[in-house]
Amino acid sequence: MHPVVKPALRRGWRDLNTVQFGMTPAHAVTLAPMDTATGSFLELLNGTRGLPLLREEARRMDLPDGHADLMVERLARSGLLDDARGGGPAADTLRGSKEALDRLRPDLASLSVTTADAGDAIRRLAARRALRVQVRGTGRVGAVLASLLSGAGVGEVDVCDGGQVEPWDVAPGGLPADAVGERRDEAARRSVRRAAPDRPPRRGPGLPAVGAEPGFSLVVLTPRDDVAVHAPAPSAADHLVSSGTPHLYAGVVEATGMVGPLVLPGETGCAGCLDRTRSDRDPAWPRLVTQWRSGRRRQVRACDLALATTVAGLAAAHALAVLDGRLPSSAGSRWEVSLPGLQWHARPVRAHPACPCGAAERDREGRAPEDGAPHETMGGQRSSTAMGRKARAARPAGTWRAHV
């Protein structure tokens, strides 16, 4: 191990004996007591030395025997330590691609803030290169989202859509102006390729997908049709539910952006649950949806460029959380934001007892997680899935966490 104090967290002395790592309340950590000599020793934890050399340096600084090991252990326990050579073979391969790693260094730094174990950040980043995601719908939201996932290091981002690019599909980071008139899927694939840091191997080992459809770890549904955004047809995802493929909804309808729900089949509410719950609350809902779907189609739908880009960015962040083995707040919830107020609201998508997806049955059984731990609230859902267990395991130890 070559320990390095995570450089993404800014360091400052709160007083003569207390060091604070990080600025924001979500991630700031304090260590105390900390004397001046130990503070100087922290400067040596830059990834260039292994533990034997660090022990020698500590002796030269007249630090007590075992102090180097104790400090490394303490920093590791508080989630502040990384390993400059850790992460496994996939991480070593990524380090060998300097151009790709340089492109991804901001993403790596961000992952280091949100992971606890040394070497875990680059392991997760390298694992993305072996994953495949499909984005269905390449309008202003879908095309940008697909490029974001590719740029964040996802190895293969497949896009699925029909028709040709229209002038109103053009968006920075998505479909370019010179693609107007071309096949939509081909133009989107070029944007995805341009965004990729490199060309990683097409397939390979990575973080295991949760019951994924063969080849896809996640499917993101970003329909260009505003009715499909507001009232997603359950039949469009039936095969995803039956195959156990995680899928996420996102889009814009009438100046309102929507991200979610993230559907973990058999675990969280799906489009069928959403449709049945709405019908229970509003008897007119099925009649309205039928009219919306069969009514006269407008040529250009309301889709504000800045709002669409915002939705694409948030949806990409939720998708990456899933791919990294986390459980984002869109699991069983739908985030909505409307112009001009731009206040985000989370609306729960609860499992419906009449839906064949099986999520309600699991809720009724009230099963405890396999590891025997009590249910824990994460984004409004009980984290009893494998993703939930990974998310809990990835948290830094709370002993050193400071509220600032």
Side-chain angles (χ1 to χ4, degrees):
M1 181 179 182
H2 282 61
V4 53
V5 177
K6 293 180 178 179
L9 295 171
R10 289 186 179 272
R11 191 186 317 169
W13 290 82
R14 296 182 66 87
D15 54 44
L16 293 177
N17 298 301
T18 307
V19 180
Q20 177 173 316
F21 299 82
M23 299 183 288
T24 64
H27 303 293
V29 177
T30 60
L31 286 184
M34 179 79 66
D35 56 52
T36 303
T38 303
S40 299
F41 178 74
L42 289 178
E43 301 297 331
L44 303 179
L45 301 178
N46 56 14
T48 62
R49 302 170 179 84
L51 279 172
L53 185 55
L54 286 171
R55 294 184 187 112
E56 293 180 14
E57 296 285 358
R59 283 193 292 270
R60 292 193 188 101
M61 298 171 68
D62 293 325
L63 292 171
D65 289 342
H67 193 75
D69 292 84
L70 178 63
M71 197 63 208
V72 167
E73 179 186 353
R74 189 180 181 189
L75 289 166
R77 197 167 61 243
S78 46
L80 294 172
L81 205 65
D82 214 337
D83 183 358
R85 300 186 183 180
D92 292 338
T93 300
L94 178 56
R95 290 189 188 97
S97 179
K98 184 179 183 304
E99 182 179 351
L101 183 57
D102 285 346
R103 284 273 302 272
L104 293 168
R105 285 192 186 280
D107 304 88
L108 177 60
S110 179
L111 280 169
S112 75
V113 172
T114 61
T115 54
D117 296 335
D120 199 27
I122 195 166
R123 181 186 70 82
R124 291 175 184 270
L125 187 63
R128 290 180 184 178
R129 307 173 86 212
L131 301 179
R132 299 182 69 221
V133 176
Q134 185 179 69
V135 177
R136 299 183 181 178
T138 55
R140 280 185 162 186
V141 173
V144 173
L145 186 150
S147 293
L148 287 172
L149 294 179
S150 179
V154 176
E156 186 173 346
V157 181
D158 182 50
V159 293
C160 183
D161 206 345
Q164 64 182 30
V165 179
E166 303 290 352
W168 45 85
D169 293 322
V170 173
L175 298 174
D178 58 10
V180 172
E182 297 181 7
R183 282 185 50 174
R184 190 183 299 276
D185 55 353
E186 291 182 357
R189 290 188 185 106
R190 281 201 305 275
S191 296
V192 166
R193 287 195 296 269
R194 284 196 296 267
D198 66 347
R199 298 291 180 84
R202 184 178 180 86
R203 300 297 300 275
L207 291 175
V210 180
E213 185 179 71
F216 291 117
S217 300
L218 178 71
V219 173
V220 187
L221 297 98
T222 55
R224 291 178 287 115
D225 176 51
D226 51 0
V227 178
V229 173
H230 186 55
S235 59
D238 279 348
H239 64 293
L240 299 176
V241 173
S242 62
S243 65
T245 304
H247 48 287
L248 173 69
Y249 293 87
V252 173
V253 51
E254 295 179 354
T256 295
M258 299 182 177
V259 176
L262 165 66
V263 181
L264 304 177
E267 299 279 351
T268 64
C270 66
C273 296
L274 177 62
D275 184 64
R276 287 171 172 82
T277 300
R278 283 170 160 174
S279 298
D280 290 346
R281 293 176 178 174
D282 182 5
W285 174 257
R287 185 182 307 115
L288 288 171
V289 173
T290 299
Q291 294 175 71
W292 292 333
R293 288 175 178 162
S294 61
R296 182 173 60 87
R297 298 174 63 87
R298 290 169 293 174
Q299 184 179 9
V300 180
R301 297 168 180 83
C303 188
D304 179 85
L305 178 59
L307 180 61
T309 305
T310 300
V311 169
L314 184 63
H318 281 246
L320 289 170
V322 177
L323 297 174
D324 291 339
R326 309 296 183 86
L327 190 67
S329 59
S330 56
S333 294
R334 193 176 219 191
W335 285 95
E336 299 181 3
V337 62
S338 298
L339 296 173
L342 295 172
Q343 293 182 338
W344 285 97
H345 301 279
R347 304 189 186 279
V349 180
R350 296 185 174 87
H352 195 281
C355 185
C357 71
E361 181 179 352
R362 183 180 180 88
D363 279 351
R364 284 194 299 269
E365 292 174 359
R367 278 182 271 177
E370 294 175 13
D371 58 9
H375 285 301
E376 180 178 346
T377 300
M378 300 182 65
Q381 291 294 326
R382 294 177 296 175
S383 56
S384 58
T385 63
M387 288 183 179
R389 290 193 296 276
K390 288 179 186 176
R392 291 198 301 274
R395 292 176 179 170
T399 307
W400 308 103
R401 188 159 299 285
H403 299 282
V404 297

